[in-house]
Amino acid sequence: MAERNGAGDRTAGDRAGRNLPPLSLYVPEPHFRPGDQADFSGFDIPAADAAPRPDETSAAGDMRDMAYGLVRVLDEGGNAVGAWNPNLPPETLLKMLRAMALTRAFDERMFRAQRQGKTSFYMKCTGEEAVAVAAAMALDRDDMCFPSYRQQGLLIARDWSIVDMMNQIYSNKADRMRGRQLPIMYSVREAGFFSISGNLTTQYPQAVGWAMASAARGDTRIAATWCGEGSTAEGDFHSACTFASVYRAPVILNVVNNQWAISSFSGFAGAEATTFAARAVGYGIAGLRIDGNDALAVYAATRWAADRARSNAGPTLIEHFTYRVEGHSTSDDPGQYRSADEGSHWPLGDPIARLKQHCIGLGIWDEERHAAMDAELASMVKDAAREAEKNGILGHGMHQPFETMFEDVFEEMPWHLKEQLQQAIDEKKAAGL
C-alpha cells in the first residue's frame, strides 16, 4: 500500500476503493421552453417602498444589501412611493414618456424597413425603453455615454435627429460613419454618444478610462456605460471594474439584465447563483439592483449614482432588472428557445404603460392624449424615414465614394495604403466596374 504523508497524497488507487458518488455537471435550464405556459408567480418582488436610500457618499461595504434587493418607485397602482421617489415635475415626466414612446415608434419603423430590405439588420429595445431614456434624463447633457447596442433611447432622449440615426442605419450618402458600421452602431460625438462596438463590453474599460481622464483633468463630467448581463462574463467587464474601484473613477456601470442573450437565458451568465449587481460587492463598488421597467426608479438610481460620482465617492454598478420583449435582433427567432407568451406575463409590466398610468393618476395625462401622441409620433417617424431614404438605402448598394474605404484611418495616408488604394482602383477598372 502506498505510503501517505498527508491527505493530499492519496493515489488514484486509494480513491477507487472508496464509496463516493459520481460527480455530475450542472447545466442551467430556463424556466420555460417553447410550448410551456409562462408563470412568474414564484418571483420575489419587493414592495415599491421597501428599499432604503443610502447617502450618496456611503461606503460601498455599508450598502451591500442594496445589490440583492430591488429599488422600485412605482407601485402596482402607478403611484410613486418610498424613499427613492425623485418627485419629478409634470413637464419632466411627460418629456420622459414622449421620448420612450418615440423610441418605440422609431423601433417599429426601422424593424419594418429591415423586413422590406432597406437595411440589413436592426435591433429593437421594446420593453427596455426606460433603461436608456430615464438614465439620459438623469445625466447631464455633457456627460459621456458609452452604450451597448440597445440604448438608442439615449440619443432620442437627448433630442438627436432621428433622420441622422436613420442615415446611419441605411448606410447612405448622408451617413456620418460613411457606411463603415453595422446599421445600428451609431456614433454621435456631439451628443456625448460613443461609437457602439459589436465586440461585447469593449465600452466598459473605455468608459472607465474616460472617467479617469476627466477626474485627472479636474473636470466635472462623468461617464456612464451599458452592457447586457451575459457580457459580465467578459474579461473587459472585470478589468473595468478593477480600474474603476482602485481609482474611484466617476463612472456609472449599467448592467441590463433583460433575461436573455441571443438564444440562451441569463442563468448561463450566473443569474441562478446571485444577482448581477452583486458583481459590485467583490470589487468594493456600490451596487444597486433596480426595477428596469420603472422609469422613475431608473431616473432615481442614475441620479444617485451620478451625484456619488461627482462627489468623488467612486463608481456605482446598477443592475436593471428588465425583460427583452422582442428577439435579440432581426436575425433571431425567440420562438425557437423561449415560451411564446413569456413577455406578456413579465411581472414588472411594460415601462411605457406604467409611466402613462402614473401620469394619468397625477391628472396630467389621459388616454386620449396618449393615443394622439402615439399617432403623431408614428407620423413623424414615417416622415423622417422618407427624408432619410432620399439619401439612399442600404439595399441599393454602396453610396459612399469607393476611395473612402481607405480614408480616415491615419491623419495622413501612409504609402502602403496609397499603394493598396491604387491597386484597388486598377482592379475595379479592369473588371469594368
Side-chain angles (χ1 to χ4, degrees), residues 1 44 47 64 85 132 137 169 204 215 245 268 274 282 295 324 329 407:
M1 192 170 183
D44 180 20
R64 184 178 183 278
N85 180 7
M137 298 190 69
I169 292 169
Y204 254 62
S245 174
F268 283 104
T274 187
R324 194 198 78 206
S329 71
E407 298 173 356

Side-chain angles (χ1 to χ4, degrees), residues 85-113:
N85 180 7
N87 295 300
L88 297 177
E91 57 270 22
T92 302
L93 291 170
L94 294 178
K95 182 180 179 182
M96 187 183 299
L97 181 62
R98 182 180 177 86
M100 290 167 62
L102 177 55
T103 301
R104 187 166 294 185
F106 180 85
D107 275 357
E108 291 294 334
R109 173 60 57 174
M110 291 296 95
F111 181 89
R112 193 175 308 133

Side-chain angles (χ1 to χ4, degrees), residues 157-391:
R158 287 184 166 182
D159 298 319
W160 192 253
S161 164
I162 60 174
V163 173
D164 181 78
M165 295 172 67
M166 290 174 178
N167 287 333
Q168 295 188 52
I169 292 169
Y170 289 142
S171 299
N172 58 29
K173 65 182 181 181
D175 174 14
R176 60 174 53 230
M177 302 306 293
R178 306 178 82 174
R180 295 170 178 149
Q181 273 278 45
L182 196 66
I184 47 84
M185 294 183 180
Y186 316 99
S187 179
V188 186
R189 183 175 183 176
E190 305 94 307
F193 190 97
F194 195 80
S195 305
I196 296 175
S197 170
N199 299 315
L200 296 180
T201 334
T202 57
Q203 67 275 19
Y204 254 62
Q206 292 163 350
V208 173
W210 191 96
M212 289 169 59
S214 182
R217 289 194 302 266
D219 204 339
T220 59
R221 295 177 296 167
I222 66 171
T225 185
W226 289 257
C227 76
E229 82 283 347
S231 296
T232 62
E234 293 286 331
D236 278 350
F237 174 85
H238 297 282
S239 296
C241 287
T242 298
F243 274 85
S245 174
V246 170
Y247 295 100
R248 297 183 186 175
V251 63
I252 304 173
L253 308 167
N254 295 283
V255 176
V256 184
N257 178 10
N258 64 13
Q259 315 306 312
W260 290 95
I262 295 176
S263 58
S264 62
F265 83 118
S266 57
F268 283 104
E272 292 184 345
T274 187
T275 69
F276 291 98
R279 301 286 193 274
V281 175
Y283 287 103
I285 294 174
L288 299 174
R289 184 169 179 261
I290 72 170
D291 178 353
N293 285 19
D294 179 346
L296 298 190
V298 175
Y299 182 99
T302 305
R303 176 55 62 89
W304 185 95
D307 290 344
R308 180 178 179 84
R310 292 188 219 282
S311 300
N312 291 311
T316 303
L317 189 153
I318 302 175
E319 175 190 347
H320 300 258
F321 194 64
T322 182
Y323 186 81
R324 194 198 78 206
V325 174
E326 299 283 353
H328 179 76
S329 71
T330 49
S331 302
D332 179 40
D333 178 9
Q336 297 298 311
Y337 55 82
R338 72 182 186 189
S339 172
D341 65 346
E342 196 171 295
S344 63
H345 290 279
W346 182 245
L348 295 176
D350 177 273
I352 296 178
R354 290 176 65 186
L355 184 57
K356 178 184 74 170
Q357 179 189 26
H358 176 63
C359 291
I360 291 174
L362 293 176
I364 62 173
W365 200 237
D366 54 54
E367 292 287 358
E368 291 74 20
R369 279 184 281 182
H370 193 88
M373 179 185 71
D374 279 344
E376 175 204 348
L377 294 178
S379 177
M380 184 175 79
V381 171
K382 184 177 181 180
D383 290 343
R386 287 173 174 167
E387 185 66 26
E389 288 168 18
K390 292 178 182 177
N391 297 313

Side-chain angles (χ1 to χ4, degrees), residues 122-180:
Y122 193 72
M123 298 180 80
K124 300 171 79 172
C125 66
T126 309
E128 301 175 43
E129 292 89 354
V131 169
V133 170
M137 298 190 69
L139 294 167
D140 285 355
R141 182 63 171 75
D142 58 356
D143 289 334
M144 192 67 183
C145 295
F146 292 77
S148 183
Y149 39 59
R150 222 180 294 275
Q151 280 80 55
Q152 52 267 50
L154 292 170
L155 286 172
I156 289 174
R158 287 184 166 182
D159 298 319
W160 192 253
S161 164
I162 60 174
V163 173
D164 181 78
M165 295 172 67
M166 290 174 178
N167 287 333
Q168 295 188 52
I169 292 169
Y170 289 142
S171 299
N172 58 29
K173 65 182 181 181
D175 174 14
R176 60 174 53 230
M177 302 306 293
R178 306 178 82 174
R180 295 170 178 149

